Amino acid sequence: MEPAVLGGKLASSLVAPLVKKLFVTDGPGAGLVDRPVRLTRLVSFRGEQRTLGEREVRGLAGKLVAAALDSPGEPPFPPDETGAVADALAARLLALGDLDMDDVQAVRLGHGELAARLRRQAPGSGDGLSTDARYFLDSATEWACLHILEFFTRRSTFVARTLVAQTRGQAELIAKVDELIARVPRPDARDTAFERRYLPYVAEQHNRITIYGIDLRDSPDRWPLEVAYLSLEATADEERNAVLPGEYADPERTVRLAAEDALRTRDRVLLRGDAGSGKTTLVQWLAVTAARDGDRIPYVLPLRTLIRAGALPSPAAFLTAVGCPLTPPEGWAERVLGAGRGLVLVDGLDEIPAAERHRTRDWLLALVRAFPGNRWLLTSRPTAVRADWLTAEGFRELSLTPMREPEVATFVRRWHAAAEAPEFETGLLDSLRTKRDLTRLATNPLMCGLICALHRERRGYLPTGRKELYDAALTMLLARRDRERGMEAVELSEEAQLELLQRLAYALVLSGRTEMAVETAEGIVERALPSVASAAGQGDAATVLRALVLRSGLLRRPGEGTLDFVHRTFQDYLGARYAVEEGHLDVLAGRAGDTQWEDVIRMAVAHARPGERAVLLRRLLAEDTPRLTLLALACLEHATALDPAVRAEVETRAGALVPPRSTEDAKALAEAGPLVLELLPGSEGLTDAEAHGVTVAASLLAEREPGGALAVLRRFRDHPSLDVRRQLVGTWDRFETREYATEILDHLDRTDLFLRCDTPAQREAVATMRPWSRLTFHGPHRIEQILDSLVDPGAVTSLQLIENPEVTELDELAAFTSLRTLLLNCASARRMEQLAQLSLTDLLITRAADLGGLSALSSVRQLSLAQRLTGARLTDALPTAAPLRYLYLGGEATAETALRGLAHWTTLRALFLAPTAPLTDEDWAEVRELPQLSILLLHGSLFPDRLGPIPPLPGVLDLDLIGLTGDEDLSLLASRLPSVETVNLTVATGASLDTSRVAALFPRAQVTVD
């Protein structure tokens, strides 16, 4: 019984006598005086008429609690908390003697507020109690207060006439509350009780997974998630925002985070991952951890199960749709989601037909909009939907990364520990490090599990190719179990099993699904039995199908009446095998445009005979699309024997894509997979753009093939192009830190090149290389740590400290004796005058605690500021003795000073203005007084309203305009800048600009667009 039914347990006839003992019956003021009596004189455990002590009060409280526990029904709280609850209730009752009020005031206050006063008067009285016990304690306090007030109204005869109506109301209220609370428990109490059952069920239901191949020798076929789970990484391409000159620009990079942390930073995530990459296992891990932590209510919704029912479920049907046997209180799911407490895990978008995906999207977005504040995860294969499919709705796209060498090693160790086969662990790890073909296969948990199982089963022998690996895995799995005692004896040979399995797989492939009804599967088996002699005599279709499920290790029953393969990869492999055997090459070629068929086509090339391979590859090339050309190129990996002319044609057509000529081409090329690494050329004969494209493609493939990618990038370590060298520096985090520093970074030409360090490992690796003159440290690196990582701090001429909360005082920078350029993005940095001990020429400050002390920096020639300056004039804040030649003033920098005093710096040659406040006549008057000003840089945000009345500036020869959207009216500039010789335009991301219109405005100038 829930605490809410307290009224039924503590009837008025029981509570009233106990409460009455708390007060004296013949105390002063019992109708003999004309004013109420204070509570401190009415209680029976204080004063001269004391009849109870603290011990007796605790006894009364104990009786109240014991009466509730002894009543029929479910206890309102765990019995082992009885003493603690009684003590807490006694503390609140004793607090009556501390209330500074009289009985009339107490009656007017009402029983609810009186109970609240007692709770506040006895702080901590509920500490350490469970949720149910605290709820009971609060209910008991209110119930006691109701009877206390009733007692007051009955004894206070001098206010009888004024309180008679209230007395009747209280008596009526007591009767109604008695009945109401007894009949209707509070919804939140029912919800709490259900969640105490549901969360353990979720944790147990999803806490077991299959470790492929581990069940070969009479071992359990399912293992605790804690044993098998491997924390993988997810990545997201971080977009580069438009930046202003003088501001720090992050290089193009990939954000990495532990996959299980995906929902800690964003509430909506679309997680992509290849077959076998661990998407479903991650969903299980998130559900189990949420259920155990209790901070979120998890719902695991596999789409392949939901879609079979036709209409996708509403929240009320979430549990029944996935076969949960528990029945929640009415409206529970909506209350959970309405309160923002839900964790909705929608798994397997790629496992439903393409035609159903938009309906699924509408269903999901309707839920997201109706119930904001919850957390939502949707999983899919990478190519199931376009890249921006849910971006507009606030979903962050992440991709599970292929396993790298450390993760593979961890998996291998855990697998062998679980399988109790430590004698094979070392040999397999050695093979994975030295055999490139094997390493290329071990990129996800599925393949790693199969490799481990094959290695153990074959006593150390391993296949070398993907097809051979799958053939070996199928042989292992199909023959893995002996006849089990007491089971129906059905003998199916390996070939018979394969024949039936591949027909089931092909039916699923054709339907675009990964799950079918058992009745449908039985029909397929029944039609196949006459042609499968060894299976025809083993029983009817239902018996044979049941044997396949029990014995093959490839089929499973995820729910009542449904059937699927243990992994999509087996379905594609076997479906391709059947398509080739039946000569369905036209079907395969006709479905090549469907991304769900990519793996099927690759495996079909592996199964096909040489002539069939040639036909299929020519059909792919005939479509004349980049994706299918790359698919044909990827298929060559599986074409052991092939007409040389066809292979040459594929490679020639792919030659238009290799080498890539842009970053976009490189990303498209990388989609073909690690095979591309074998086709990427060295630097000889390439243009700078092509060389850059090759390094981008190799960098993208580093996650899947770090050894091969490193071999490609090594060819470019002496390349002179700055873009190529920047790419080589920027991809450091994709490789083992020390190895990449030795093989690539230490060989680079340092000219105009910054080395960026994000992690402590990268910072420490700097000490192993030749000195770098330009360094960027991103994140919390203390100055002393940076100095410890440098062999010669005096060699550093440029230093960038980005998003660094550790830097406060700047005096430690004095060790950089040759430092000339400094960028500070340090929220705690202060006392800029400490930089005066350096001979800085360039200073860029995007964030600091304050800018006080800038006036002491007399050597600065280039100064960039975006933070508010103090004072009435620029001369109050900036170094008046500095020979400034370049000045950038953006953001809030001039909010207080405007440009007043700018004319002081007669040495200024370049001025960049991007203020948030409009420019005025007074501002432009200061600009006009600069005698050497020849370069003017303006941000597009100034147009049209904040540019102000720009005067004629005949000395300006170079005009730079940045962040243009294409709508700006630049005609005013043409008339005010008559001597301009060059106009450099930078267009905002996604915008377009009519350069001919700009060229017409400046007929004598050279117009360039970035």
Side-chain angles (χ1 to χ4, degrees), residues 79 197 208 328 355 405 451 497 569 607 663 773 781 830 881:
R197 299 165 57 210
R208 298 229 164 227
E405 183 177 337
I451 290 170
Q497 292 184 69
T569 305
H607 287 295
T663 300
S773 61
H781 304 273
R830 57 190 179 187

Side-chain angles (χ1 to χ4, degrees), residues 623-663:
E623 297 296 325
D624 197 24
T625 64
R627 193 182 72 81
L628 294 186
T629 300
L630 291 175
L631 178 58
L633 184 66
C635 288
L636 292 183
E637 176 186 6
H638 311 293
T640 306
L642 180 66
D643 183 348
V646 176
R647 184 181 296 273
E649 184 180 356
V650 172
E651 293 177 348
T652 299
R653 293 280 294 277
L657 305 173
V658 181
R661 293 158 181 81
S662 67
T663 300

Side-chain angles (χ1 to χ4, degrees), residues 213-220 419 421 423-424 453 456-459 480-482:
I214 206 169
D215 55 340
L216 290 175
R217 300 190 183 278
D218 299 322
S219 300
E423 66 273 18
F424 296 106
R456 184 189 69 170
E457 184 71 2
R458 295 188 170 196
R459 315 298 294 180
R480 68 191 177 99
R481 296 177 186 265
D482 295 329

Side-chain angles (χ1 to χ4, degrees), residues 507-545:
L508 286 170
V509 168
L510 285 175
S511 68
R513 299 179 182 273
T514 60
E515 189 174 276
M516 68 169 59
V518 170
E519 292 82 359
T520 303
E522 289 175 353
I524 294 172
V525 172
E526 184 176 8
R527 290 190 293 273
L529 283 180
S531 59
V532 184
S534 62
Q538 300 298 321
D540 59 12
T543 301
V544 173
L545 181 62

